Amino acid sequence: MSFILNNCMAISIIFVVILFVSIVFNNRIAALVISFVTVLFGSFLLLYAFAKISGFDAMDIQIKGIIIIGEGLILLVITSIFIAVQETKKKTV
């Protein structure tokens, strides 16, 4: 568990890279799943910090969890816009 807590920002960056790779390859389902997984990962960090950790370490993990949740929500919006643009292109062609 300490590996995840120490490297949570790197893990979220890997999620972002995987999301953009799935967008490049037009894999919509994978892009949506990765954005939801990012939000769930941030929620897990936030709730784990509330339940198990105390002191300033808890505050650090909580802030990182909130940042990752926000990142996941932004990725969800980007993915939704991408899918909407693709669908409008299909309808016009």
Side-chain angles (χ1 to χ4, degrees):
M1 192 65 205
S2 65
F3 175 79
I4 292 174
L5 295 177
N6 291 334
N7 298 311
C8 61
M9 296 307 282
I11 293 170
S12 70
I13 290 171
I14 290 171
F15 286 152
V16 171
V17 170
I18 292 171
L19 179 112
F20 285 124
V21 167
S22 66
I23 285 176
V24 167
F25 290 121
N26 291 330
N27 196 347
R28 298 184 214 167
I29 302 296
L32 284 173
V33 167
I34 291 297
S35 59
F36 283 128
V37 166
T38 306
V39 172
L40 290 175
F41 180 65
S43 301
F44 163 73
L45 286 176
L46 186 66
L47 294 175
Y48 184 78
F50 276 126
K52 299 286 183 182
I53 305 172
S54 62
F56 288 113
D57 290 335
M59 189 169 57
D60 178 45
I61 299 299
Q62 289 168 356
I63 290 171
K64 287 179 182 178
I66 290 171
I67 290 171
I68 294 172
I69 290 171
E71 176 185 319
L73 292 175
I74 290 171
L75 292 176
L76 187 62
V77 168
I78 290 171
T79 306
S80 300
I81 290 171
F82 174 73
I83 290 172
V85 167
Q86 277 189 340
E87 287 297 320
T88 56
K89 285 182 182 179
K90 280 186 179 178
K91 287 183 181 180
T92 58
V93 171

